[in-house]
């Protein structure tokens, strides 16, 4: 009997070359988990992630699934065996049996990302791999006003990678996505940007955040987000915000 | 004219051998800041901390002061020069001129520490240098009941380092301290223990947390904290909780 196992995964992306297996010798989250799976199940297993995360991006709730012919182990045993065989910067939070048709990428309905900014004059020391440091003053009202224009079903072409070679072509022919929630919270010197959507284009969150940072520093004027969305031109949007401030919080199915 | 400068300091304690300068070759927070001060002021300066923090302990608001004959620089210039010359795991948050009599250690009225625990079965990956991972179930009610007995003016002899050689003898002849606030908050899988006191003995917070963790896992029974305080015997208290969960939040003058 073939089983389909769904994993919920937390990781510190700092020392990885992102989620996806690339050329040999690079350390990736998918690669480390597949290595552990191979050890545990003694068969070659391909892990399907809900999507890639870039080098330096973290996750509190990435989801992946894999098929196995091994039926001996309970889901708890799989969870424990994986955590025992994985490096300390990956932790499996959950292991579940799911129907054969479940596919971590294609079955995903929504994703939530959080972007963390430390906004003060003095740079970050503690937890500096998990925050992006912005030393200049940000106009939070301007950011919030512009961000409202991103909510809903829109063509986010202007917010995906500029270089077509960088893109995941199969996913990104259609650049229309729906943002359900866009929340900005200020807690002390920290700014948390939470975005929930039915899917994200490659580098979309980081490009949106980069654009909003330029709105906040008045490099981009009022109405910019609306104009950028309409003109669908990546060169009009802000630069890509650093990876380390980004965290994949949740994938909903 | 001699000036007395007060610094408020944030640091990631992970890669330091604690606050205090020890033998040559060890990396300490005091050592790194004194090195930067020497470079900026071109004179040998001794930095007085509010107290030591151990290897691996972090700070969001450590305070220190130093005397200098250099009067050219404004406090903002001192702040910027220090941050430009310090490694990325130390950040100076504030620099102020204070009266000559201000002494970061002797003038301190209160200190607040936070201890962070990740309490779940699956180990920590993200921000693992800032949390202590406890895989077993904790009885929060028992912990809170016992913790109440620590509040007030008490002799905390049982909660200081067991080995007298480890102690800072000059401070610890008197082991009576007053805990003003003891707050335990649960947020998801995280447990935050905030303790405010007029001072702390060497390893006092970590020994208190270690003891409460044994209360929470039923290794220590109800009434233990009261008994340990009365008997003043270190060997009755729990083991020392790991350094990495501890953070010096604030020093009040």
């Amino acid at each position: 009997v073939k089983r389909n196992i769904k994993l919920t995964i937390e990781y510190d992306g700092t020392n990885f070359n992102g989620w996806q297996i690339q050329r040999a010798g690079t350390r990736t989250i998918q690669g480390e988990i597949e290595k552990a799976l191979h050890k545990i199940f003694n068969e070659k297993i391909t892990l399907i992630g809900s999507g890639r995360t870039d080098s330096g991006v973290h996750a509190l709730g990435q989801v992946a699934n894999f098929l196995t012919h091994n039926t001996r182990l309970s889901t708890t045993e799989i969870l424990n065996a994986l955590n025992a065989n994985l490096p300390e910067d990956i932790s499996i939070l959950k292991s579940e049996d799911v129907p054969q048709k479940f596919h971590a990428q294609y079955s995903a309905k929504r994703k939530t990302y959080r972007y963390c900014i430390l906004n003060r004059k003095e740079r970050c020391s503690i937890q500096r791999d998990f925050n992006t440091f912005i030393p200049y003053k940000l106009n939070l009202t301007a950011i919030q006003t512009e961000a409202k224009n991103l909510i809903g079903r829109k063509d986010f072409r202007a917010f995906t990678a500029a270089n077509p070679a960088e893109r995941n072509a199969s996913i990104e022919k259609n650049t229309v996505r729906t943002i359900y929630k866009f929340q900005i919270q200020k807690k002390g010197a920290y700014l948390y940007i939470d975005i929930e959507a039915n899917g994200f284009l490659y580098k979309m969150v980081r490009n949106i955040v980069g654009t909003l940072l330029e709105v906040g520093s008045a490099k981009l004027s009022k109405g910019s987000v609306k104009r950028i969305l309409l003109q669908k031109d990546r060169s009009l949007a802000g630069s890509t915000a650093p990876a380390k401030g980004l965290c994949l919080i949740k994938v909903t199915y």
Side-chain angles (χ1 to χ4, degrees), chain A:
Chain A
V1 192
K2 215 190 258 183
R3 287 167 70 190
N4 190 4
I5 308 289
K6 176 188 174 194
L7 301 176
T8 306
I9 308 158
E10 183 187 276
Y11 49 84
D12 171 353
T14 312
N15 298 316
F16 289 106
N17 282 303
W19 168 267
Q20 186 166 285
I21 292 180
Q22 300 160 29
R23 64 192 181 285
T26 57
R27 189 171 181 264
T28 67
I29 299 121
Q30 186 192 5
E32 293 296 320
I33 301 176
E34 286 192 1
K35 226 193 290 175
L37 287 170
H38 182 76
K39 216 163 156 184
I40 296 162
F41 292 96
N42 205 19
E43 59 177 335
K44 169 98 185 88
I45 288 174
T46 300
L47 187 68
I48 301 156
S50 77
R52 305 190 251 172
T53 55
D54 286 333
S55 180
V57 173
H58 315 289
L60 287 179
Q62 169 70 291
V63 173
N65 74 298
F66 65 91
L67 298 167
T68 174
H69 293 88
N70 182 319
T71 52
R72 284 183 304 109
L73 301 174
S74 72
T75 49
T76 307
E77 287 169 333
I78 293 172
L79 179 82
N80 293 339
L82 274 170
N83 280 333
N85 282 287
L86 281 168
E88 61 172 3
D89 41 4
I90 304 178
S91 175
I92 308 294
L93 302 185
K94 226 189 219 174
S95 159
E96 304 160 83
D97 270 292
V98 286
Q100 296 290 326
K101 66 174 195 299
F102 177 88
H103 185 284
Q105 186 188 339
Y106 302 141
S107 309
K109 292 271 180 296
R110 290 182 183 209
K111 278 187 191 175
T112 306
Y113 276 98
R114 165 167 279 195
Y115 199 92
C116 296
I117 293 162
L118 176 66
N119 185 212
R120 68 179 185 198
K121 268 182 270 163
E122 305 73 31
R123 64 178 159 61
C124 195
S125 68
I126 206 168
Q127 301 183 351
R128 63 194 178 283
D129 290 331
F130 305 95
N131 296 287
T132 291
F133 165 56
I134 300 291
Y136 45 83
K137 216 175 144 45
L138 291 173
N139 181 341
L140 197 57
T141 313
I143 290 176
Q144 272 166 323
T145 307
E146 288 300 296
K148 278 188 194 130
N149 295 309
L150 294 162
I151 299 173
R153 189 170 183 274
K154 316 261 173 178
D155 187 339
F156 289 98
R157 184 172 300 271
F159 294 99
T160 189
N163 177 2
E166 272 191 84
R167 298 188 197 175
N168 187 335
S170 65
I171 305 176
E172 301 203 342
K173 264 177 234 161
N174 176 0
T175 50
V176 173
R177 295 292 183 278
T178 303
I179 292 184
Y180 300 108
K181 208 182 94 177
F182 202 111
Q183 189 181 283
I184 304 169
Q185 288 169 273
K186 196 175 154 57
K187 283 186 186 170
Y190 290 90
L191 210 64
Y192 300 108
I193 301 178
D194 295 307
I195 313 181
E196 188 184 337
N198 62 351
F200 290 90
L201 305 169
Y202 187 49
K203 294 205 174 158
M204 178 171 148
V205 180
R206 291 167 60 192
N207 289 338
I208 284 176
V209 170
T211 302
L212 291 178
L213 288 173
E214 298 194 1
V215 165
S217 60
K219 263 179 85 176
L220 285 175
S221 57
K222 212 185 146 186
S224 291
V225 166
K226 236 177 190 164
R227 201 170 51 247
I228 294 163
L229 281 167
L230 268 172
Q231 302 194 4
K232 303 183 178 58
D233 180 355
R234 173 71 190 94
S235 71
L236 296 175
S239 57
T240 308
K244 65 178 188 171
L246 187 59
C247 185
L248 173 57
I249 301 291
K250 207 171 108 176
V251 186
T252 313
Y253 291 92

